Amino acid sequence: METLGVQVTSTPVEWPHHWRSVPLWTLFERVKDVGHPDEELLSVYRDYGVIPKNSRDDNMNKTALDRNIYQLVDSGWFVVNRMKAWQGSVGISFQRGIVSGHYLCFRPRHNEDPRFLNWLLRSYPYTVEYARMSRGVRPNQIEIDNDSLRALSVRLPPLDEQRRIADFLDEEVPRINRVVSLRKRHLEVLHQRELAILDSSIEEYIQRFGTLPFRRYIERMDQGSSPQCDASPADEDEWGVLKVSSIRPGEFLPNENKRLPRNVDHDEDHEVRQGDLLICRANTPELVGATTVVPTVRRRLLLSDKIFRVRLTGQTLPEYIATVARGSRIRSLCSISSHGASQSMANIRFEEVKKWPIPCADLRAQEELASRSQRLRGETARIAGAINHQIELLTERKHALITAAVTGQIDVTTARGADLS
């Protein structure tokens, strides 16, 4: 099943016969209580439920200047991000605070276990149901409304069984999360190791060969344009304009492009080719100045005005420049010299790029460093792939365990402590 571009798949759940079914409105009532600007600000996360907003550093939503528009909730309240319910951004709050005025907030009027309800209402079967209920005018911009939620069927076991299920998940899910966090830390260390080895090699070249400013290696520079494009990527036989997300340090992602309408003129001189050295002039502070070499690539992909293409002198390998540009020395210079109106988007001038210090190595040494770096990246990618596969399996296990527990498919009294190694 598909809802406005949102893929929704589900297998019918065989709920235990002794569980009862009640509509959501019998458990909660909709309340919108605003005008409490001094309460703690909360937010709803897909993976964590309702938690303090400042407890996560990856929340890019800005706090409104007028906090009086935020809604008060308390422990036991059901909170729904109406625009992202289909992604699982719902949950029971376990503390008092204020949430976005656009959320749906429901005050409890039941005697059920709120911990069980939190697990149940955030589980996969209910996320599928939220997606089915959501409506909108375009993909990924859909909402769920109060009337649909009020009629939502909530399956409830006896109270003592609710508590056993909640106790089980309160113990097992954090245990899986700890292992996932450990694996993610392994990834961080792996990439830190790669960068440390690369930095050491670059510093060795600086000591051996000295440096020259990048401008001494440049023959010419050009950049494209950014006409009004469609949001979707171009097909193989269509022209597309590259987005800034197509360039990461040492990586080129050709599918990150926007389709150019057929009636819009374009300059074919801006088409990227294999071997082009590209530098991103506008991106987040962490990625502005990202440099890569275009590998074998399909035709009809165009530079945007946010991407520099640099033609090098004959004694310089583009792979060498891209390798040096991945090092901490140049990445730090990009971050320092970038400027912009917000932390979400920064720009770098080509005059700053031309100042990058490049070790003036001969062609043989350039090729050696680029090849050594490529082998290291391959080794890192292989190990990272294995770790990411472990994380995927653990995440799948977690969601399957939650679903099995809240739908009564497993006996939680005998399912504890499975080996996660």
Side-chain angles (χ1 to χ4, degrees):
M1 177 172 62
E2 185 171 344
T3 304
L4 288 166
V6 180
Q7 294 294 331
V8 180
T9 59
S10 63
T11 302
V13 176
E14 294 185 6
W15 300 89
H17 296 300
H18 67 286
W19 289 25
R20 71 188 195 279
S21 176
V22 300
L24 185 86
W25 67 263
T26 65
L27 304 174
F28 298 94
E29 61 178 333
R30 170 82 187 281
V31 175
K32 187 166 187 176
D33 184 3
V34 297
H36 304 274
D38 297 327
E39 297 286 348
E40 182 172 10
L41 190 61
L42 309 177
S43 191
V44 182
Y45 289 81
R46 178 177 56 191
D47 296 325
Y48 305 101
V50 185
I51 60 175
K53 186 176 181 182
N54 62 9
S55 65
R56 301 288 305 173
D57 57 10
D58 56 356
N59 190 332
M60 303 303 293
N61 294 328
K62 293 184 177 179
T63 302
L65 294 177
D66 181 11
R67 290 167 58 122
N68 282 292
I69 65 175
Y70 285 77
Q71 303 176 78
L72 181 68
V73 299
D74 212 330
S75 182
W77 286 48
F78 181 42
V79 185
V80 178
N81 181 335
R82 69 171 79 197
M83 294 186 66
K84 294 184 178 180
W86 61 274
Q87 295 179 331
S89 291
V90 307
I92 302 293
S93 178
F94 292 98
Q95 68 179 91
R96 180 183 175 93
I98 52 176
V99 298
S100 168
H102 194 63
Y103 288 176
L104 296 172
C105 303
F106 299 89
R107 181 167 57 196
R109 51 182 183 187
H110 61 77
N111 294 314
E112 313 300 333
D113 189 316
R115 297 175 305 140
F116 171 79
L117 289 174
N118 188 50
W119 289 115
L120 177 72
L121 295 172
R122 294 176 56 237
S123 65
Y124 178 72
Y126 278 84
T127 300
V128 170
E129 191 66 10
Y130 303 140
R132 186 189 66 79
M133 293 177 172
S134 296
R135 297 290 182 269
V137 295
R138 65 183 64 181
N140 296 344
Q141 291 190 9
I142 59 177
E143 294 189 3
I144 194 167
D145 60 40
N146 178 52
D147 290 340
S148 297
L149 275 174
R150 279 172 50 84
L152 179 69
S153 176
V154 182
R155 301 282 186 147
L156 296 170
L159 187 57
D160 61 339
E161 195 169 347
Q162 293 181 32
R163 290 169 178 158
R164 285 197 300 273
I165 293 171
D167 288 343
F168 170 76
L169 293 175
D170 285 349
E171 178 180 333
E172 293 298 313
V173 172
R175 192 164 73 94
I176 296 174
N177 287 341
R178 286 192 294 271
V179 179
V180 170
S181 295
L182 184 61
R183 296 291 184 269
K184 289 181 178 179
R185 177 56 185 157
H186 289 167
L187 281 176
E188 293 174 5
V189 172
L190 181 67
H191 291 298
Q192 289 169 2
R193 171 184 175 273
E194 179 193 355
L195 181 58
I197 294 174
L198 174 62
D199 284 344
S200 177
S201 297
I202 293 172
E203 292 303 314
E204 176 194 343
Y205 268 46
I206 290 174
Q207 295 298 318
R208 285 174 58 189
F209 303 110
T211 65
L212 288 174
F214 186 29
R215 61 182 172 80
R216 298 284 294 273
Y217 300 86
I218 297 173
E219 186 174 283
R220 67 184 176 89
M221 181 278 291
D222 66 318
Q223 61 191 107
S225 61
S226 295
Q228 188 68 38
C229 293
D230 299 333
S232 56
D235 291 332
E236 289 289 324
D237 61 342
E238 296 176 315
W239 288 94
V241 178
L242 293 171
K243 300 191 293 185
V244 296
S245 54
S246 67
I247 301 176
R248 300 181 69 86
E251 294 183 69
F252 180 67
L253 307 173
N255 290 332
E256 290 293 314
N257 69 78
K258 292 184 178 181
R259 181 189 294 117
L260 185 71
R262 296 184 184 277
N263 62 343
V264 176
D265 292 334
H266 60 276
D267 187 344
E268 294 190 16
D269 287 341
H270 293 156
E271 183 180 12
V272 298
R273 308 282 186 177
Q274 181 179 355
D276 282 349
L277 180 68
L278 305 183
I279 302 174
C280 188
R281 75 161 182 84
N283 210 319
T284 62
E286 295 77 20
L287 292 175
V288 67
T291 304
T292 193
V293 179
V294 178
T296 302
V297 67
R298 76 168 181 88
R299 301 292 303 274
R300 301 192 176 189
L301 291 178
L302 299 165
L303 295 171
S304 75
D305 66 349
K306 293 181 173 62
I307 298 175
F308 301 128
R309 175 168 54 189
V310 179
R311 303 295 189 189
L312 301 172
T313 60
Q315 296 301 305
T316 312
L317 297 176
E319 293 82 5
Y320 173 67
I321 299 298
T323 298
V324 175
R326 284 202 298 116
S328 296
R329 183 183 287 257
I330 288 181
R331 296 303 312 137
S332 296
L333 288 175
C334 291
S335 180
I336 292 170
S337 60
S338 64
H339 58 92
S342 70
Q343 281 298 101
S344 61
M345 184 61 72
N347 294 271
I348 190 169
R349 297 184 297 270
F350 196 65
E351 289 301 315
E352 300 295 337
V353 173
K354 290 193 293 185
K355 297 177 183 177
W356 290 355
I358 306 296
C360 45
D362 57 37
L363 278 172
R364 181 176 179 180
Q366 291 179 30
E367 185 175 6
E368 180 185 346
L369 180 62
S371 298
R372 193 191 317 160
S373 171
Q374 188 61 33
R375 289 194 298 271
L376 178 61
R377 295 204 83 182
E379 176 189 340
T380 300
R382 179 181 59 80
I383 299 172
I387 296 174
N388 279 317
H389 182 60
Q390 292 177 353
I391 292 174
E392 291 173 4
L393 292 177
L394 286 165
T395 301
E396 290 175 5
R397 171 178 170 76
K398 177 176 71 174
H399 291 308
L401 190 67
I402 293 170
T403 297
V406 300
T407 59
Q409 304 305 306
I410 59 172
D411 181 359
V412 296
T413 60
T414 61
R416 295 179 184 274
D419 184 14
L420 300 179
S421 61

